[in-house]
Amino acid sequence: MNRNKLVINEFSNEKSAQQYAENWPANPESLQLYENGFQCGGCAFFAPWNADWGLCCHQKSVHFSETVFEHFTCSSYVNEGWGPHSFTEDVRFHCRCRG
């Protein structure tokens, strides 16, 4: 029996929502990524649910398997642009269109 419960229109983890709302008070690296435009929507491991929310698919991220906002970010961010995503760190396989 499948017991998965998908969350597609808000953060699935309240702690992540709080980090975003408070500008990552314990993680200045994430705040700097965010301010420089390196956000989940441009990460190689972001699988969008809709225009604003998606699934973090990066096993190295503390947010792995969470629903996150496209403008969220973390220190495991892998820049691929806001187009198609490859779900790999290997830049040879990244989309060349850059979104």
Side-chain angles (χ1 to χ4, degrees):
M1 180 160 102
N2 185 355
R3 296 184 299 157
N4 291 344
K5 294 187 178 191
L6 298 177
V7 176
I8 61 171
N9 289 311
E10 63 185 352
F11 283 97
S12 61
N13 183 334
E14 185 60 38
K15 287 183 180 181
S16 298
Q18 186 176 3
Q19 286 178 3
Y20 180 73
E22 296 176 358
N23 290 320
W24 299 272
N27 192 338
E29 180 184 358
S30 289
L31 178 59
Q32 185 175 13
L33 286 166
Y34 170 80
E35 289 177 341
N36 289 320
F38 297 112
Q39 302 165 1
C40 290
C43 180
F45 292 90
F46 180 75
W49 298 122
N50 55 40
D52 295 317
W53 300 92
L55 180 68
C56 175
C57 297
H58 197 340
Q59 292 182 353
K60 293 181 181 177
S61 174
V62 297
H63 304 288
F64 175 63
S65 75
E66 292 181 21
T67 296
V68 292
F69 186 47
E70 67 176 346
H71 297 293
F72 189 64
T73 196
C74 77
S75 58
S76 298
Y77 178 85
V78 177
N79 188 26
E80 187 170 10
W82 288 69
H85 294 145
S86 61
F87 303 95
T88 180
E89 292 182 8
D90 191 335
V91 295
R92 296 174 300 160
F93 300 107
H94 284 185
C95 176
R96 290 186 177 90
C97 72
R98 306 301 295 165

